[in-house]
Amino acid sequence: MGSPAVKKEVPVPHPLEDLVRMERIPHIWCSGCGTGSVFTACLTAMKNTGINYDDFAMVSGIGCSGRGAGYINIDSFHTTHGRAIPFATGIKMARPETNVIVFSGDGDLFAIGGNHFIHAARRNMDITVICVNNFIYGMTGGQAAATTPHEAKSSTSMGGNPESPFNLPLLAYAAGATYVARWTMLHSRDLADSIEEAINHKGFSFVEALSPCPINYGRRNKQKPLDTLREYHANTIIKNNADPGELGIDFKQKVILGKFVDIEKPSHDEQYHRLYHETSTKS
Amino acid sequence: MKHVIEGSHAISEAVKLARVDVVSGYPITPQTHIIEAISEYCANGEMKAKFIPVESEHSAMAAVVGAASTGVRTFTATSSHGLALMHEMLHWAAGARLPIVLGEVNRALGPGWNIWMDQSDSLAQRDTGWIQLYCENGQEAMDTTLFAFRLAELVNLPVMVVIDAFFVSHTFEPVAIPEQEHVDDFLPPYEPRIALDPDNPFALFQMAPPNVYMEMRQSIHRAMEHTLDIYHEVENEFDAVFHRRYGMIEEINCENADIILVTTGSATSTARQVQMDMEKQGERFGILKIKTFRPFPGKAICNALQKAKKVAVLDRNFSFGSGGIFAQEVKGALQVLSQGPVVFNYIAGLGGRDITPDIISEVYLKTRDRDLPPCGSEWLGTSPRDEN
């Protein structure tokens, strides 16, 4: 007696499998976390640019999103806390033809590494910075960050956060970034398209991706994972070219998403080449 | 009364009882529980202190330097890369002679990333002018934190209270938490020697040209020597209130021991057990636990070790190109003896690897069975070298 014929299922490879170190999967991100969705958008964008994978490098700092550099199957760096941008700057200086992507979190990029962000933007370094903003230090257990909303609870602000958060697109714009956009992880197509545009943009490009941290932010602020996604859906509005001054995050009003800055300005490597290399070959 | 709490929270509780005024903090594993608990005490009113969640460890130390300069009691805590990032400010705190207390949870440095136990982070700060006190367990962490404020304020130097990552920081143990009134008896309100005061303005930390700088450095050295002089006295005060004391060093059955094992931190507890177990088998060795690393109690260590034939220093740290750091210091201390013991140096337990009873036994047997140590340090428990 033979067993009933079972239709043999051929496993379909994940469309991004060529970009992921599959031996590192499963990843460490908690269920309900948005970092994986932002990471997927980033990999999709890289694929859609059509640029050879060998011409990319990914750099990340410390934190949950910082693990991205360990999962991507291209040259990658997992740097010290806050220093992803200086490492990326060094790579770009040495290898200007490389597309350098910084994939990191709000705590890493805007607190301990905040100084590096404004200076890379000022130089118009031709790198792409993607910030997974979950409003908290997720990996260390939910301490108040530079992005934690005013009065929000965290493990270091149990009485409510007395501080106010950064408006990240405004900071990027004021410091000299030449491409600035904000999406949520729920707007996956817009986010991927925006990251693709940011990679293709010559100069310092910044994409903020709002992303839930149900374990370490949501739990303390009475927000279940789906509540956060509903907020991303219902309490956001797309307003391209909005005034960066209006972009402070307050879900009681509408949080503004879209592309806010996209200007052409010579990048750091172009300026450097013009002032140093071209001059020296002329003389 | 004893409560079962984790080592990190023993430090947080002590900070609360010490009536600290300003605390800064930046998250880093495995330290974070210390500042989380303190921030909660500040939020629920158990502490009157002000807590600031700063943007980096460099800022954490800078903020308490600023606060301490106004004459208030201050605390922060960190680990590993956080301590390395604080390095500049550590020099500053000591140079400014501010009695800041820092909770430091020993953790390895990257790359490769490693969040586990390793003493290389704090020992790399040995020349910054900080007093460094290493603790074996939660009770010692609690007591040492209280002691640290008193000592710091007497000698005007900052103090680092050091505990092992996870082995102490995350281990729950019964810890006697003292009553507030007893702590107040031991630790009077801080009376600063110098403080920023609008009625009596100072310009602090100005230029120090060659004609004064060297004397300023010598005064830090003198304060360290003074610390060695008064340590015992401060312990007497502590003992009178809390009935516990630890000493700069602890000699555990060292009388007439031919072999003495030198340990620090939680590995000492393992060594105590191995000592008892081996004694039943007729094997005997002494243990010297070093608690105070800065100032280094060289004279006391020399006295404790001089009659031994062999000394085995177990280092959970390494200075590349040289050897284990405690072994270097112990060898230096023994230089004054014309015929001192020979010193063996063993490296174990880096990056969170456990120092098991078997490793301690191996240290003893290897020392027992050889007359002289090999040149350099011996690494225990590492896998054989891959020649490819």
Side-chain angles (χ1 to χ4, degrees), chain A residues 62 78-81 83 107-108 111-112 137 139-144 155-159 163 220, chain B residues 26-29 32-33 35-37 39-40 43 51-57 81 85 110-111 113:
Chain A
I62 294 298
H78 189 190
T79 73
T80 57
H81 204 6
R83 315 306 155 201
D108 186 79
I112 193 164
Y137 289 101
M139 181 166 274
T140 47
Q143 296 77 26
S155 75
T156 53
S157 63
M158 293 304 282
E163 305 179 5
R220 288 193 182 89
Chain B
Y26 189 78
I28 184 165
T29 305
T32 312
H33 289 184
I35 56 148
E36 275 183 343
S39 74
E40 202 164 335
F51 174 82
I52 175 138
V54 286
E55 61 280 7
S56 77
E57 289 88 354
H81 285 263
L85 185 58
W113 282 113

Side-chain angles (χ1 to χ4, degrees), chain A residues 37-266:
Chain A
S37 307
V38 183
F39 191 59
T40 299
C42 179
L43 301 189
T44 306
M46 287 169 67
K47 199 168 190 131
N48 290 348
T49 59
I51 298 169
N52 190 332
Y53 293 161
D54 289 343
D55 295 332
F56 280 103
M58 182 178 275
V59 185
S60 65
I62 294 298
C64 300
S65 47
R67 292 298 181 101
Y71 297 136
I72 194 168
N73 195 15
I74 59 166
D75 286 332
S76 63
F77 269 84
H78 189 190
T79 73
T80 57
H81 204 6
R83 315 306 155 201
I85 289 175
F87 273 75
T89 298
I91 294 171
K92 191 71 187 174
M93 291 296 287
R95 299 279 295 267
E97 70 283 7
T98 305
N99 292 279
V100 185
I101 298 175
V102 170
F103 187 88
S104 210
D106 49 308
D108 186 79
L109 290 166
F110 291 98
I112 193 164
N115 197 34
H116 307 309
F117 181 86
I118 58 174
H119 287 281
R122 174 181 64 79
R123 293 188 184 103
N124 201 23
M125 256 351 265
D126 183 21
I127 60 175
T128 304
V129 176
I130 298 156
C131 173
V132 181
N133 181 2
N134 61 4
F135 308 106
I136 204 86
Y137 289 101
M139 181 166 274
T140 47
Q143 296 77 26
T147 45
T148 305
H150 182 56
E151 294 188 11
K153 289 199 168 123
S154 73
S155 75
T156 53
S157 63
M158 293 304 282
N161 183 18
E163 305 179 5
S164 294
F166 274 131
N167 168 346
L168 298 181
L170 174 63
L171 181 70
Y173 169 70
T178 47
Y179 182 97
V180 180
R182 173 198 280 156
W183 297 98
T184 79
M185 48 68 74
L186 192 67
H187 298 76
S188 53
R189 181 65 66 86
D190 296 298
L191 179 62
D193 289 349
S194 182
I195 295 173
E196 184 185 343
E197 214 171 53
I199 292 168
N200 285 322
H201 175 82
K202 191 80 188 146
F204 188 87
S205 48
F206 172 61
V207 180
E208 177 185 12
L210 307 183
S211 172
C213 176
I215 304 295
N216 281 320
Y217 183 80
R219 197 163 46 95
R220 288 193 182 89
N221 291 285
K222 302 206 173 359
Q223 212 175 66
K224 290 192 172 146
L226 282 176
D227 298 340
T228 314
L229 298 192
R230 274 186 206 105
E231 272 208 306
Y232 288 173
H233 178 67
N235 285 342
T236 55
I237 182 170
I238 298 169
K239 192 173 165 192
N240 290 321
N241 301 313
D243 174 0
E246 296 174 18
L247 300 175
I249 292 178
D250 181 0
F251 280 103
K252 285 172 201 147
Q253 296 161 20
K254 296 262 181 189
V255 168
I256 300 173
L257 310 177
K259 179 170 80 176
F260 314 119
V261 179
D262 187 359
I263 50 179
E264 279 187 35
K265 193 178 152 191

Side-chain angles (χ1 to χ4, degrees), chain B residues 3-7 9 33 138 166-175:
Chain B
H3 297 258
V4 177
I5 58 172
E6 63 169 47
H9 289 160
H33 289 184
F166 301 105
F167 297 117
V168 176
S169 69
H170 285 56
T171 301
F172 282 74
E173 294 176 277
V175 172

Side-chain angles (χ1 to χ4, degrees), chain B residues 214-368:
Chain B
M214 204 162 158
E215 282 75 9
M216 290 170 74
R217 287 301 171 270
Q218 197 174 22
S219 82
I220 298 173
H221 168 59
R222 289 211 181 100
M224 281 285 183
E225 289 191 322
H226 183 52
T227 304
L228 291 174
D229 295 339
I230 66 162
Y231 199 98
H232 188 72
E233 231 170 90
V234 184
E235 279 215 311
N236 287 346
E237 289 174 21
F238 188 91
D239 198 353
V241 179
F242 305 109
H243 315 296
R244 284 186 296 275
R245 64 189 309 141
Y246 300 92
M248 289 189 281
I249 56 168
E250 183 186 349
E251 296 170 65
I252 308 147
N253 300 328
C254 287
E255 312 82 44
N256 307 320
D258 289 339
I259 296 174
I260 296 178
L261 173 62
V262 178
T263 60
T264 50
S266 67
T268 309
S269 297
T270 315
R272 289 178 199 269
Q273 184 63 45
V274 175
Q275 187 186 49
M276 287 192 281
D277 294 346
M278 293 197 90
E279 187 125 28
K280 287 178 199 151
Q281 300 161 25
E283 301 287 348
R284 193 164 174 269
F285 63 90
I287 300 168
L288 179 74
K289 166 184 160 184
I290 300 181
K291 175 182 178 64
T292 309
F293 175 67
R294 281 291 179 272
F296 195 69
K299 207 180 277 178
I301 288 170
C302 199
N303 286 340
L305 298 178
Q306 60 181 347
K307 286 185 188 154
K309 294 196 173 75
K310 297 174 192 170
V311 169
V313 184
L314 183 57
D315 266 303
R316 210 166 197 167
N317 59 76
F318 197 71
S319 172
F320 298 109
S322 181
I325 294 169
F326 280 97
Q328 293 171 23
E329 301 269 345
V330 168
K331 284 179 195 170
L334 295 175
Q335 283 299 309
V336 296
L337 300 175
S338 53
Q339 281 194 314
V342 290
V343 179
F344 293 70
N345 181 205
Y346 301 94
I347 308 298
L350 303 189
R353 207 171 279 194
D354 202 1
I355 294 185
T356 60
D358 285 348
I359 287 182
I360 307 264
S361 309
E362 190 185 344
V363 166
Y364 165 69
L365 294 171
K366 279 192 152 161
T367 309
R368 184 195 69 180

